Amino acid sequence: MKSLEVTLRHVRDDGRKALVPYFVAGATPDWTRHVEAAVLGGADAIEIGVPFSDPMMDGVVIQEGALRSLERGTTLESICQELESLETEIPLLAMTYYNIFLHYGLSRAAGRLRDSGISGAIVPDLSLEESDEWRAACDESDVATVFLVAPSTPTSRLRDVAQRTQGFLYASARMAVTGGASDAGEGPRVVASLREVTDVPVYVGIGISTPAQAASAASFSDGVIVGSALVKIILDGATPSDVESFVRSFRGAID
Amino acid sequence: MTERDNVMGAPDERGHFGDFGGRFVPEALMPACLELEEAFRDAWSDADFVAEYHTVLRQFAGRPTPVTPLPRLSKRLGLELFAKREDLAHTGSHKINNVIGQTLLTKRMGKPRVIAETGAGQHGVATATAAARLGLACTVFMGEVDTKRQELNVFRMELLGATVVPVTSGSKTLKDAVNEAMREWVTCVADTHYCLGSVMGPHPFPWMVREFQSIIGIEAAAQLSELGVGTPDAVVACVGGGSNAAGVFAGFAQSDARLIGVEAAGGAAVRSGSPGVLHGMRSLLLQDEFGQIEEAHSISAGLDYPGIGPEHAHLAATQRAEYYAIGDDDVLSALTLLSETEGIIPALETAHAVAWIAQEAGGLLPLGSSVLLNLSGRGDKDVAQVRAILRGEA
């Protein structure tokens, strides 16, 4: 079992709902301070969004964040370098599109993630069917690959995805791209179906923008992912202290 | 079966053409891709569906399109030239072949709505046309930059009852229109089919679109036989995503004809690109050293795409087809050349293929060669732009 999953299973075994904030790396010059603030605010893991020119699964807020980051010259390498100076005990995951890793070289990318303290990867356009090479590369470096499921995923496929995901399963509550919906939608049904086929932790994302929605999603899952709502306040100029308060408000709601 | 017999056959079960193709999409779209593949396999082996497709193409789209000998240009260049006249198909290009197939499939799947991306507007107009004919709702995503460059096509789509959504993300052109159509499809996949316009995207699109376009090559091969030409020495087509080229190549893949694709120099994925993943497929893409996709630049909006269909990447890798690039300047002179010598104003996209033939007559095309040009579209949509450039106003 990958280190990420060991850690996240401990979080669940301790009776704690996991809170996973998402950041677009490099969207602002002080983005690593935002990450540190989120840790102080009570995050259990952090998703580090690596910007891609064509983010097919992202809505307007994260697209804007990625654009700003790319305009600042952010690369996978620059992100990894900045993360090396970040001191945190909680797991970091990279979220990006497959072409970024493919272009860097799969084994080299997985090794680079590990060396900069990243223990998991979420690659939304990498389907289960195309993932063998990437998962093999990750196995060399103890990087976990987290897969997503959607309300459209049929039961037979849920089992296949659940068998291959590592760390946790990312359950999309809605048929939407990031930031594209604002309630738990079909989350309860999707999570209930997953419970029948796996005991891996299940986190709910897409459609969680307020502490109340997070509390609702946490009530039927093992954790929540907060992306666009957080990226929005950062793009609007939030300070690290604003980020800490934002994350703390979600922490309070799900505990 | 020999290796040649399998050229341009079906991809493997996961949609690979050699090292290219596949299905790189968010999990939310996987069931739709699987459903579509099953529906296409089922329909394409159903004689009634195939008959209906051919009937609509004949009664509505003007097929078969003729093969026209080009005697004056032939004499000028020292070649034996023939043109497959997709410019004479309804809506003015080969795009109609694909959308008739996909909209009939949409009806068969019981979905009441289609969405599409468009660059210059040709695929958008074709989709809106087929949707109107079959009574489907239609939404077309078009980069904001393109909606301004191609205002008349926006109006055409609206006349046909479609909704045009300007896309303001990214470079606001074709690749962003594809991104936005994919994002939209995630939210409405249960009742909406994504009518992709080229031999690109996730499996089964590259294969399915090529099959719907293969009528070009199948007709042309028979027509050349009737003309007593037999197999031409070369088949030449312009390539953006590559649907007209794939369609015409399909009729000659097992023959000895050279298959030649002509890209725009500013969007030459085969000549200047490298392997990568975008828009659901692994193919050749224009990208920077970090894997960020670069924008294509061409005088013809229809070739303004930073990638190429995966089957073309495979045909290039296996050297069954050859790919060359032509710059903007040569395109305009080719457009006037064909117009003046043969009375056919080609689309700017098509003019790339004409330019390559003119450039290589006596070079890569030995004098006396018989050449089939796929005349993929007519130039009506481009005349205002061409006039502005020729008058020095653009």
Side-chain angles (χ1 to χ4, degrees):
Chain A
M1 190 178 288
K2 298 275 170 74
S3 315
L4 177 70
E5 187 160 332
V6 173
T7 306
L8 296 181
R9 281 179 181 263
H10 276 308
V11 171
R12 180 174 63 184
D13 294 345
D14 290 345
R16 181 176 163 102
K17 300 291 185 181
L19 175 60
V20 186
Y22 168 96
F23 294 88
V24 177
T28 58
D30 55 349
W31 70 274
T32 53
R33 302 274 318 281
H34 291 142
V35 173
E36 289 165 347
V39 178
L40 289 175
D44 296 288
I46 304 277
E47 269 187 46
I48 307 287
V50 179
F52 178 51
S53 54
D54 295 79
M56 190 207 282
M57 193 58 198
D58 287 307
V60 289
V61 172
I62 292 177
Q63 286 174 43
E64 172 65 22
L67 192 66
R68 283 200 206 176
S69 179
L70 288 173
E71 282 169 357
R72 294 188 60 253
T74 305
T75 63
L76 177 59
E77 183 56 35
S78 73
I79 292 167
C80 289
Q81 281 174 16
E82 289 187 79
L83 285 176
E84 281 167 2
S85 59
L86 188 80
E87 290 195 18
T88 171
E89 299 294 307
I90 69 169
L92 304 177
L93 295 99
M95 178 154 180
T96 193
Y97 292 81
Y98 192 47
N99 201 47
I100 297 295
F101 291 148
L102 199 60
H103 212 72
Y104 197 87
L106 298 181
S107 290
R108 185 171 162 242
R112 191 71 186 91
L113 295 182
R114 179 203 55 211
D115 292 345
S116 53
I118 294 174
S119 57
I122 306 171
V123 192
D125 63 340
L126 183 62
S127 61
L128 204 57
E129 287 80 353
E130 296 286 352
S131 66
D132 288 355
E133 288 173 273
W134 170 246
R135 286 186 295 117
C138 288
D139 286 347
E140 298 163 14
S141 296
D142 190 27
V143 172
T145 298
V146 174
F147 283 100
L148 290 90
V149 296
S152 59
T153 311
T155 311
S156 54
R157 235 184 119 73
L158 286 180
R159 186 172 282 111
D160 293 339
V161 180
Q163 269 173 6
R164 286 183 185 75
T165 197
Q166 298 163 332
F168 65 93
L169 250 173
Y170 189 137
S172 170
R174 298 291 301 253
M175 289 300 286
V177 294
T178 57
S182 56
D183 62 67
E186 298 179 72
R189 177 183 64 79
V190 176
V191 175
S193 312
L194 284 170
R195 298 295 194 205
E196 289 173 20
V197 297
T198 184
D199 73 335
V200 75
V202 178
Y203 297 176
V204 173
I206 302 186
I208 295 177
S209 57
T210 67
Q213 286 160 0
S216 158
S219 71
F220 60 81
S221 70
D222 301 312
V224 295
I225 298 156
V226 184
S228 294
L230 176 54
V231 174
K232 174 110 182 43
I233 68 162
I234 290 172
L235 295 180
D236 290 344
T239 63
S241 137
D242 295 335
V243 169
E244 186 183 333
S245 309
F246 180 96
V247 173
R248 201 177 295 285
S249 68
F250 280 76
R251 178 82 261 161
I254 66 173
D255 281 344
Chain B
M1 189 187 288
T2 68
E3 198 176 318
R4 170 148 290 193
D5 289 337
N6 198 34
V7 173
M8 298 196 84
D12 75 12
E13 60 177 15
R14 288 178 181 177
H16 299 112
F17 299 94
D19 293 336
F20 302 100
R23 206 179 247 147
F24 296 84
V25 290
E27 181 56 35
L29 293 180
M30 277 302 289
C33 290
L34 294 165
E35 177 198 18
L36 179 62
E37 181 191 344
E38 192 183 330
F40 173 66
R41 283 184 193 281
D42 183 66
W44 208 227
S45 61
D46 176 348
D48 290 342
F49 178 87
V50 174
E52 188 182 11
Y53 163 74
H54 286 288
T55 299
V56 177
L57 286 178
R58 190 176 66 248
Q59 295 179 340
F60 179 67
R63 299 208 76 87
T65 59
V67 162
T68 304
L70 305 177
R72 296 189 65 219
L73 186 59
S74 295
K75 194 173 173 197
R76 171 89 69 101
L77 298 177
L79 300 169
E80 193 187 358
L81 289 168
F82 301 86
K84 176 60 174 167
R85 300 293 304 281
E86 294 304 293
D87 59 317
L88 296 178
H90 185 35
T91 72
S93 80
H94 69 288
K95 292 289 186 188
I96 195 77
N97 306 327
N98 170 41
V99 300
I100 295 292
Q102 286 200 49
T103 50
L104 286 172
L105 195 57
T106 304
K107 293 281 271 194
R108 188 181 166 102
M109 289 189 290
K111 295 186 174 185
R113 176 174 178 251
V114 289
I115 56 174
E117 84 294 342
T118 198
Q122 293 306 102
H123 174 59
V125 169
T127 306
T129 298
R133 163 81 184 182
L134 294 176
L136 298 166
C138 177
T139 301
V140 179
F141 294 86
M142 187 171 186
E144 191 180 43
V145 170
D146 292 331
T147 60
K148 289 175 183 156
R149 286 199 288 211
Q150 299 284 343
E151 247 179 315
L152 273 179
N153 270 341
V154 174
F155 184 62
R156 279 192 186 98
M157 289 183 260
E158 288 169 352
L159 269 182
L160 292 160
T163 303
V164 179
V165 179
V167 174
T168 56
S169 57
S171 60
K172 306 180 177 60
T173 59
L174 178 57
K175 84 177 170 77
D176 308 285
V178 176
N179 289 333
E180 210 54 43
M182 290 272 188
R183 290 177 188 125
E184 168 74 8
W185 201 27
V186 170
T187 69
C188 59
V189 65
D191 71 352
T192 299
H193 172 64
Y194 178 15
C195 185
L196 235 164
S198 193
V199 285
M200 46 160 287
H203 179 56
F205 285 103
W207 172 48
M208 177 176 72
V209 175
R210 182 255 282 167
E211 288 292 282
F212 286 144
Q213 292 291 4
S214 65
I215 190 155
I216 302 172
I218 293 167
E219 282 179 6
Q223 290 163 320
L224 286 175
S225 288
E226 281 167 26
L227 287 167
V229 179
T231 301
D233 295 317
V235 176
V236 183
C238 66
V239 179
S243 69
N244 90 78
V248 75
F249 288 178
F252 299 90
Q254 276 96 51
S255 79
D256 292 327
R258 290 167 67 190
L259 307 178
I260 294 164
V262 184
E263 300 183 281
V270 175
R271 302 293 287 177
S272 319
S274 56
V277 167
L278 177 72
H279 293 153
M281 63 183 173
R282 186 172 194 148
S283 192
L284 295 170
L285 310 171
L286 298 181
Q287 53 190 328
D288 70 12
E289 59 182 303
F290 306 109
Q292 306 295 351
I293 306 305
E294 295 183 321
E295 289 166 33
H297 295 284
S298 167
I299 190 171
S300 61
L303 302 186
D304 246 347
Y305 183 69
I308 190 170
E311 188 169 27
H312 285 294
H314 178 58
L315 289 171
T318 55
Q319 301 183 342
R320 175 63 190 94
E322 306 157 50
Y323 296 83
Y324 302 97
I326 284 289
D328 288 352
D329 293 346
D330 297 327
V331 171
L332 282 173
S333 45
L335 184 141
T336 51
L337 177 66
L338 186 68
S339 302
E340 289 169 5
T341 56
E342 296 292 348
I344 301 168
I345 302 175
L348 283 169
E349 291 80 3
T350 313
H352 285 73
V354 178
W356 186 84
I357 292 168
Q359 178 184 297
E360 295 300 336
L364 290 172
L365 285 174
L367 293 177
S369 299
S370 55
V371 178
L372 176 69
L373 160 70
N374 195 30
L375 221 157
S376 56
R378 61 178 175 243
D380 303 36
K381 69 183 175 58
D382 299 318
V383 290
Q385 185 188 354
V386 170
R387 180 178 62 179
I389 296 169
L390 290 179
R391 289 182 177 174
E393 295 162 1

